[in-house]
Amino acid sequence: DVGVVVVVVATTEGSPDQESVTNVQRFSVDDLAYSLDTARIWTTLSAMLRHVVEKVSAGPEGTWTLRLLKSHGFGASVRLELQRGWQGGAESAEIEARLDAMFDGMPA
């Protein structure tokens, strides 16, 4: 079993093209766990997810499904898929109600 001991964070802040890494930091997992502001993380994540929901909900281009897929195993990749329409035959109101319930359940 491979355990994570260090997390490396590369940021692009201040990069002329917003894609080139300008800063690399290393953090021990213990330091990160101690210093995490979980309320801030959930608030930020919730705001980002709400933005995504607004973009993929019914609009001039119709509804879309955004899927986040993560393979299992060490070093597995994460990928996003965007598909036109709601997947699984669900109605827009049903999906939006589920998302509202999810957001309401997130810690503030």
Side-chain angles (χ1 to χ4, degrees):
D1 186 23
V2 178
V4 176
V5 179
V6 174
V7 175
V8 178
V9 178
T11 58
T12 60
E13 186 175 355
S15 167
D17 62 5
Q18 293 300 309
E19 294 183 15
S20 301
V21 172
T22 57
N23 187 31
V24 177
Q25 295 175 287
R26 292 172 51 108
F27 300 96
S28 75
V29 173
D30 290 338
D31 288 343
L32 285 176
Y34 177 75
S35 65
L36 284 179
D37 181 353
T38 56
R40 183 171 160 236
I41 291 168
W42 281 112
T43 300
T44 302
L45 179 59
S46 178
M48 290 177 183
L49 290 173
R50 283 184 189 273
H51 175 76
V52 169
V53 168
E54 289 171 11
K55 295 298 181 188
V56 300
S57 294
E61 297 180 22
T63 57
W64 293 79
T65 298
L66 178 67
R67 296 177 62 201
L68 175 66
L69 303 150
K70 165 102 173 52
S71 303
H72 296 284
F74 179 71
S77 63
V78 176
R79 62 175 213 254
L80 291 174
E81 286 183 0
L82 186 61
Q83 300 171 334
R84 189 176 293 275
W86 293 118
Q87 300 300 305
E91 296 294 322
S92 293
E94 177 187 349
I95 291 173
E96 290 174 11
R98 282 192 225 157
L99 290 169
D100 284 340
M102 179 187 76
F103 289 131
D104 291 344
M106 286 184 173

